[in-house]
Amino acid sequence: MEAAQVPRQRLEQLLDAAVRYTEERHWDVCPGTWLERSGGGRCSCGEEACAAPGAHPAGDGWADGATGSGAAARRMWTRRPGAAVLLPTGRAFDAVDVPESAGFLALARMERMSLPLGPVTRTPDRRMQFFVLPGAAAKAEDLARRAGWNAASIGLRGVGEGGYVVAPPTRVGGAGAVQWARSPTTANRWLPEVEELIGPLAYACGRVAADTRRKSLS
């Protein structure tokens, strides 16, 4: 099967990004699905109504195929150059996933407060993932509750062991590419504890959820 109907430059960027994540950040990477050239951009999984075309795991045992080796990553993406770059969570990091509008609101507030921040991704379906130390997913809901918020009702969730983050520059069908809202750098190599970020994140999510409810009633 041929890789995605995308420019060769982007295919090379996927390979380069996967290798860079392993070598510079020591993150495990795993190739996901891809977009079929012959299928007009259809996901390699074959589902007509795929929710994330070309940007999800390729099978149930996907995590077993993850690698932290740059050489192995290069071989994987050389064989399948259009494959999504997936970062398994629960290993080097967990993530706190929030609505994009709340994420930007929280990001601005946390930067003003000079809170420690790790990398942050931004997805085409308008979500943001804040990278934090492993173990966060198991605590996120309870920490939000202690701060006075119901995580599910405000759209906040933890992504941990058994989950994944879709990494830039993976493209999600025709919706666009995953981007860095806050890129990985030497300055944010050391990730924060979820306890340091949950307050601003939950507050921002709660505020956005309340505003959305008010607009729907007006």
Side-chain angles (χ1 to χ4, degrees), residues 15-26:
L15 184 154
D16 291 342
V19 172
R20 187 170 65 253
Y21 296 147
T22 61
E23 294 183 344
E24 295 182 7
R25 301 297 294 202
H26 304 294

Side-chain angles (χ1 to χ4, degrees), residues 17-18 21-22 27-31 65-69 73 76-77 85-88:
Y21 296 147
T22 61
W27 292 340
D28 285 357
V29 296
C30 181
T67 181
S69 162
M76 289 175 174
W77 269 269
V85 181
L86 307 181
L87 306 177

